[in-house]
Amino acid sequence: MELYLASVVMLLTIAAAVYTQAQLAKHISNSAQRWVVRTSLIAIGIGFAWVSNSTYQPSGALQFIVCITAFCVTHVPSACILYLKRKRAAQR
C-alpha cells in the first residue's frame, strides 16, 4: 500500500514538473531568464532529493520514488503560480 500511494504522489508531482517546464516558455520571453529559472528549479530539486534520500532512507523501488518525488515537488509552487497566471490572463 505504501508503494502504491507513493507512486500516485510521484505521478502527480511529475505532472506538476512537466506543466511548469512547459509553461515557462509562455510566461518568460527572455531565454536567459528562462534558463536561470529552469537551472534554479533543477538545482533546488536535486538538493531536495538528496536531503530527502539521506533523511528518509528507503530501500528498493521506494528509494527511486522518493528521489523523483522530492525532485518534482519543488516544481509544485511554480506550477500553481503559472496556473493562476494563465487563469488571470484568460479572464482579461
Side-chain angles (χ1 to χ4, degrees):
M1 184 66 174
E2 185 180 69
L3 190 61
Y4 174 74
L5 183 60
S7 298
V8 170
V9 172
M10 180 186 72
L11 291 175
L12 291 172
T13 59
I14 287 173
V18 169
Y19 177 80
T20 298
Q21 294 296 331
Q23 292 297 314
L24 281 177
K26 295 177 183 175
H27 292 281
I28 303 173
S29 59
N30 187 344
S31 65
Q33 289 176 342
R34 197 169 42 239
W35 182 83
V36 168
V37 171
R38 285 186 173 154
T39 304
S40 299
L41 282 171
I42 290 169
I44 293 167
I46 290 171
F48 193 61
W50 179 75
V51 168
S52 295
N53 259 350
S54 62
T55 303
Y56 177 70
Q57 298 178 347
S59 60
L62 197 54
Q63 182 178 14
F64 174 75
I65 291 172
V66 166
C67 186
I68 296 298
T69 302
F71 175 80
C72 291
V73 80
T74 59
H75 289 75
V76 172
S78 300
C80 292
I81 290 168
L82 292 172
Y83 176 77
L84 291 174
K85 279 183 151 187
R86 192 181 91 195
K87 284 295 183 184
R88 185 173 46 171
Q91 290 177 352
R92 291 182 185 179

